[in-house]
Amino acid sequence: MNPSAILASPRPRTRIRAWMPAGLTGVAALLPLGLRSVAHQNLLVLIAINIILVASLDLLIGQTGLISLGHAGFWGVGAYTSALLVMRGGLPFPLALLGAAAAAAVAGLFIGYPSLRLRGHYFALVTFVFGIILTLLFTSLVRLTRGPMGLPGIPFAKIHLPGLGTYTLNTFQSKVGYYYLVLVVVVFVLWVRSRVARSRMGRALVAIREDEDLAMTVGVVTHRYKVLVFVVSTTFAGLAGSLYAHYTTFLSPEIFTFVASFDLFVMNLVGGAGTPAGPLVGPILLTVLRDILRNLSPVLAEIVFGIFLIASIAFLPRGLVGGWRDLMARWPT
Amino acid sequence: MTTTDAATFLQYAVNGLFLSGLYALVALGLTLIFGVMHVADFAQGALYMLGAYVSFFFTRLVGSYFLSIPLAMLLIAGLGVLNDAVVYRPLHRHGGATTFIAALGILLILQNAALWAFGGDFRLIHSPFGDAKLEISGVIVTYHQLFVMVATAILIGSVWIFLRHTKPGKALRATAQNPEAARLVGISGERIALLAFAVAGSLAGAAGALVSPMRAFDPHIGAVVILKSFAIVIFGGMGSVPGAIVGALIIGLAETFTAAYLAAEFADLVAFALMILILFLRPQGLLGRPAAT
């Protein structure tokens, strides 16, 4: 995929578009009132976590044109860090959440700093391999992570709201409270994403995406910006990891394999990399589709998913949102 | 070092070489395809796995293991060619990352199709050699291991001769070196791509059929083997044939010795650690040509 092909077409911000984020947040907040079954609410939480992951990945792929294929590794770093900080370190959940973000940021810095000197396919390959190495570490560090046996019994998130009391979000009893917690993080991540896009940094990232050599020539310190956006991206993946760990209360290295990284990449691609709504559309559509297919037959789900994926990169290289925009642009007004 | 220590060391070396042979077959196909098509064809892992299944069912139904090997090579080569015609060629214009994703997609599809058709049980082909083995001063080599090593050497040798001394082989190398110039002298890039996929598929099919009497398999083995072979191809130099063979030797042995002398749980990490190391020190790989920029 040619990253320069995914430049969003500039459009004036209308009043409706300015209200979109608030409106969508409102709708998202009302959803659990309508969807009362446990299965639907479970899906809502998983979609929200996937939105965090895909939005953070889109900072790299959509904004900067860096194809990263190891994102699930950083998600795993956050998940294991948070779980172990609470279980072994006895830390309260909010600190574990921050710890998870910090650990994923450090991992992102260590991996991103050298890797981002490589260009194009080499960078994609290196992130792919680092993703595998991180998964292998979750498997190998048996004393810490219990390896392939998995890490069960992760405590539920306990949150103290000043003046309102302390809540334990037992996700086995009700998923609604936890959904709102995840939603807060989703809104935060999307807000940062839109701020970044409109900042000096965002313009530097677009310059890197379009032509890195030219960006360098006009004085953009491209490596520094790339490392910065990579660390921001992995930090968000770490947040998603922590939220995932205390939601399912069970972790295993199999959750964070290269197949998961690949899923996130596909969600980003199908939604439309670099488009404002892409990181919402992709995760919603594919999480729901996968759930429907899995209920029919888990094996068949993977087969259909694979075919769907190849078809979507063949026919919709700019994703659904990108394709929609192309269609609208061609429409006579 | 006492004699028993030396014998243990040699035993590990033999086991490592066996593993290297398996990796070399898959990595060789991968590097050929990469050289010609610039596709990191992860579907080769699924082809390897399906080669094992072809051999397993043929051996069980017809009773001849030896005949099952050429059959697996033929059928899997066909499947490899089909992948090229149906998926990679239409997608080729989109370039690198897209075909890589498509390759992973094919791997997932074939892996799950196998899971659906054959179930998730581990299978083992009965080797016609049974458990017969040689013992040379404390080092044990089974007849089947010996057979696999000889067969691997013959296969690699024939690919080598094919590439060096036959017209289609030379055309393949020419295309890998400079596709435009090859087209100018009348070599069809599409046919060469089909050829590369056919050779790679037959190697992956052979690897699956050869190794599966030694190692039990299920539909998931392809993913592990292809990840290692991929690391080997990057390590040796993408598109480099000697690189794939030398890389397979180094990584197969390094893996076995790490498991034996350091810690078994880190054996899988070695290949990827070596790959990362080479990418930072020498991005074109051990024996690769520096990429033109």
Side-chain angles (χ1 to χ4, degrees), chain B residues 18-286:
Chain B
F18 178 74
L19 193 63
S20 298
L22 157 66
Y23 289 161
L25 288 176
V26 182
L28 191 54
L30 202 60
T31 212
L32 280 178
I33 293 177
F34 194 88
V36 176
M37 291 283 286
H38 296 273
V39 172
D41 184 17
F42 264 52
Q44 294 292 321
L47 299 187
Y48 162 81
M49 175 268 296
L50 290 173
Y53 274 101
V54 169
S55 175
F56 174 81
F57 284 113
F58 186 83
T59 309
R60 203 161 74 170
L61 294 175
V62 181
S64 170
Y65 169 69
F66 292 114
L67 263 181
S68 81
I69 301 169
L71 182 76
M73 289 174 69
L74 201 69
L75 286 179
I76 301 305
L79 194 57
V81 167
L82 196 70
N83 280 345
D84 177 41
V86 176
V87 180
Y88 295 127
R89 193 171 306 165
L91 284 179
H92 201 227
R93 64 195 162 85
H94 294 304
T98 309
T99 44
F100 185 53
I101 298 299
L104 285 169
I106 301 178
L107 176 66
L108 279 192
I109 293 172
L110 292 178
Q111 189 171 297
N112 285 286
L115 207 56
W116 189 45
F118 311 132
D121 300 338
F122 273 95
R123 316 262 192 179
L124 192 66
I125 301 171
H126 289 290
S127 166
F129 300 106
D131 294 329
K133 51 184 155 260
L134 281 175
E135 198 181 327
I136 309 157
S137 58
V139 181
I140 297 165
V141 187
T142 67
Y143 274 44
H144 192 88
Q145 260 177 331
L146 214 58
F147 168 69
V148 172
M149 287 193 208
V150 171
T152 305
I154 291 174
L155 283 169
I156 292 175
S158 357
V159 171
W160 190 266
I161 292 168
F162 167 74
L163 288 175
R164 289 279 144 188
H165 300 291
T166 68
K167 211 161 181 193
K170 286 179 186 169
L172 200 151
R173 277 166 50 217
T175 308
Q177 221 163 60
N178 190 336
E180 279 81 38
R183 202 170 304 132
L184 282 178
V185 298
I187 297 169
S188 152
E190 294 193 344
R191 262 201 228 164
I192 292 299
L194 282 183
L195 187 65
F197 275 99
V199 172
S202 62
L203 290 175
L210 285 171
V211 175
S212 303
M214 303 285 311
R215 312 173 111 203
F217 62 95
D218 73 344
H220 295 289
I221 47 155
V224 184
V225 170
I226 197 64
L227 286 173
K228 296 285 173 59
S229 306
F230 178 68
I232 287 165
V233 168
I234 306 283
F235 180 80
M238 283 190 268
S240 159
V241 171
I245 295 163
V246 173
L249 275 175
I250 293 175
I251 284 178
L253 288 171
E255 203 177 305
T256 313
F257 284 124
T258 306
Y261 292 109
L262 291 171
E265 62 264 35
F266 290 117
D268 282 337
L269 277 169
V270 174
F272 302 109
L274 283 173
M275 170 182 169
I276 290 289
L277 200 68
I278 205 107
L279 271 175
F280 288 129
L281 297 179
R282 201 181 145 81
Q284 73 269 33
L286 202 60

